[in-house]
Amino acid sequence: MDKREDIYVTRASLPPMEEFEELMKDIWVTHGLTNMGKYHEILKGQLKDYLGTSGLELFTNGHLSLEMVLQAFELEGEVITTPFTFASTTHAIVRNGLRPVMCDIREEDCTLDPGRLEELITDRTCAIVPVHVYGHICDYKAIEDIARKHGLRVIYDAAHTFGETVDGRGVAALGDASIFSFHATKVFNTIEGGAVTWNAEDPELSWLGDRLYKLKNFGITGKESVEYVGGNAKLNEFCAIMGICNLRHVDQWIDMRRDVYLQYKALLGDVPGVRLLSEPSNVRFNYAYMPVIFEEGMSARDRIYDGLCAEGIYPRKYFYPCINAFACYRGQMDPDDTPVAKRMSESVLTLPIYPELPLSEVERICSVLKRLL
Ligand SMILES: *Cc1c(COP(=O)(O)O)cnc(C)c1O
């Protein structure tokens, strides 16, 4: 009997091997492996064009992009953020010596609820770090209005939004800055990688690119001078080449993801007890994740999770537990302070979605799910 292949929540996208090999040959000629080499600079230029942003700096990964952009703004005090995200968002804040303050999310799209923001602002608040979770763009107009009124920085965790536009412009240009992740599991990958983006034409931010560049290279500012306590977060040439190759295909991959998403929507859209997050109308969406909310809550969610795993289908409970329930933050935060985030984290599953996932497998996943319901 044939054994079916296991299906995971995602599968890393790869370019045709010949494309990668073709560029790699050059590395064996030049021996240029890292330190802002030729392919680092090429990818940087291409990504600026693709993301529609004038400011972009590449990093080793999304997490260090966030750590270093927070450091670059020389923030002190409290940062308002959301507990419904990946561990990285909060850790980056804490690792900068800042205190995260958790704002609840909106039921409809799981992004930070601007209606709850002002009550959390104190005289110690310095910035807001919202997350465009699952590629759903935050209510950036409301958030940025509040930030402007109180003189706060807005730095978006845009790790889920590669290739998206909102109201006709690239998401990379929102707020003071945004960070992207190019991890293997994301829509666009450089194996590991990430970027900070910002509007370089803004005269108030003219210093940012130079500082980020130095921070990721130990704070070195000249042959004999070191002016910042930087780290090492440079993107190497192998990763840059992977990015250059993947960028050629990413639009096609997003189209293929859309077909998978539409198949799920057709099969699960009207199932009682199951809620899909609506596809935002003002966004060119990237279909990075396939979140499904079980109205019955945790017991139904966990039963379906276990049942799918037993069939060799491995969805994920993104994002469970909420950050404010993590052991490392015990005593400092309480999930009961963000009841919507807590409930969403207990009722959500993200189902498998990637460009080559056969539509017949989507059908099988949905029929197993409906049977378990
Ligand atoms: C993936 C991710 C990150 C971290 O990116 P890495 O490239 O894995 O370091 C940060 N925030 C969110 C929301 C993510 O999903």
Side-chain angles (χ1 to χ4, degrees):
M1 209 176 76
D2 282 353
K3 194 186 171 308
R4 274 184 206 278
E5 273 192 47
D6 289 344
I7 299 179
Y8 295 94
V9 70
T10 189
R11 195 174 78 147
S13 295
L14 285 167
M17 201 196 263
E18 313 77 69
E19 286 187 22
F20 188 69
E21 276 172 353
E22 193 49 43
L23 295 183
M24 290 300 288
K25 281 181 194 153
D26 189 34
I27 300 273
W28 264 258
V29 176
T30 64
H31 290 240
L33 302 183
T34 186
N35 283 16
M36 285 65 108
K38 170 177 161 189
Y39 293 101
H40 177 284
E41 295 304 303
I42 292 173
L43 179 63
K44 180 167 157 177
Q46 290 179 348
L47 284 173
K48 276 189 192 177
D49 288 344
Y50 185 88
L51 296 172
T53 178
S54 49
L56 184 143
E57 198 50 68
L58 293 168
F59 286 84
T60 302
N61 55 52
H63 178 79
L64 285 171
S65 310
L66 185 53
E67 274 199 24
M68 291 198 169
V69 73
L70 292 172
Q71 184 185 357
F73 279 107
E74 299 184 321
L75 302 171
E76 270 177 51
E78 296 175 359
V79 174
I80 301 176
T81 185
T82 140
F84 193 78
T85 177
F86 187 53
S88 171
T89 317
T90 314
H91 288 353
I93 293 168
V94 173
R95 288 169 61 83
N96 269 282
L98 298 159
R99 195 173 94 78
V101 173
M102 292 299 177
C103 181
D104 211 350
I105 58 171
R106 303 192 294 193
E107 180 108 34
E108 65 268 25
D109 64 0
C110 297
T111 64
L112 186 145
D113 184 351
R116 315 229 69 136
L117 202 46
E118 275 195 297
E119 65 200 61
L120 299 171
I121 296 175
T122 70
D123 54 5
R124 294 177 300 281
T125 310
C126 56
I128 308 170
V129 176
V131 182
H132 303 307
V133 68
Y134 306 135
H136 292 272
I137 306 303
C138 301
D139 186 349
Y140 66 94
K141 287 179 188 149
I143 292 170
E144 290 176 28
D145 279 348
I146 294 169
R148 214 168 296 119
K149 191 169 132 196
H150 295 271
L152 307 175
R153 295 285 186 190
V154 181
I155 297 160
Y156 291 100
D157 183 336
H160 296 177
T161 65
F162 192 87
E164 294 193 343
T165 61
V166 58
D167 300 321
R169 59 181 181 141
V171 298
L174 300 180
D176 290 290
S178 297
I179 72 99
F180 288 81
S181 164
F182 308 146
H183 184 256
T185 56
K186 304 295 208 281
V187 167
F188 164 79
N189 84 76
T190 59
I191 308 172
E192 292 263 11
V196 174
T197 62
W198 69 96
N199 176 10
E201 272 126 47
D202 180 349
E204 309 254 302
L205 294 177
S206 59
W207 50 274
L208 182 57
D210 183 60
R211 188 172 300 175
L212 287 169
Y213 189 91
K214 287 166 180 160
L215 282 175
K216 73 173 177 182
N217 189 29
F218 306 100
I220 295 171
T221 53
K223 279 220 158 62
E224 299 178 2
S225 70
V226 179
E227 288 177 43
Y228 303 104
V229 183
N232 182 1
K234 306 184 295 288
L235 188 81
N236 70 58
E237 292 290 271
F238 287 60
C239 291
I241 285 176
M242 182 63 92
I244 290 165
C245 295
N246 278 338
L247 196 57
R248 298 173 187 154
H249 303 277
V250 73
D251 283 325
Q252 191 201 344
W253 290 335
I254 291 173
D255 287 345
M256 291 161 77
R257 286 175 172 277
R258 181 163 186 272
D259 292 340
V260 173
Y261 168 86
L262 290 175
Q263 179 81 332
Y264 274 121
K265 198 172 155 185
L267 296 170
L268 297 177
D270 299 320
V271 176
V274 174
R275 180 164 76 85
L276 306 182
L277 299 184
S278 51
E279 194 182 351
S281 59
N282 59 337
V283 176
R284 180 214 186 224
F285 204 43
N286 67 7
Y287 309 96
Y289 299 89
M290 186 64 220
V292 175
I293 313 292
F294 296 97
E295 308 276 6
E296 250 186 84
M298 184 125 90
S299 60
R301 191 273 305 270
D302 288 352
R303 185 177 73 243
I304 288 155
Y305 176 80
D306 293 340
L308 287 168
C309 291
E311 300 272 344
I313 300 160
Y314 298 97
R316 292 295 297 262
K317 300 176 187 178
Y318 286 144
F319 290 95
Y320 175 82
C322 278
I323 307 260
N324 42 19
F326 283 9
C328 57
Y329 295 126
R330 197 168 295 146
Q332 300 170 50
M333 304 174 193
D334 185 348
D336 290 325
D337 292 343
T338 55
V340 181
K342 184 176 179 215
R343 181 154 36 84
M344 295 304 271
S345 79
E346 290 171 350
S347 6
V348 68
L349 274 189
T350 52
L351 300 178
I353 186 166
Y354 47 87
E356 311 81 11
L357 181 63
L359 299 185
S360 58
E361 292 290 20
V362 175
E363 243 173 80
R364 183 168 74 91
I365 293 166
C366 292
S367 62
V368 174
L369 189 154
K370 285 190 233 177
R371 174 161 53 75
L372 293 161
L373 208 72

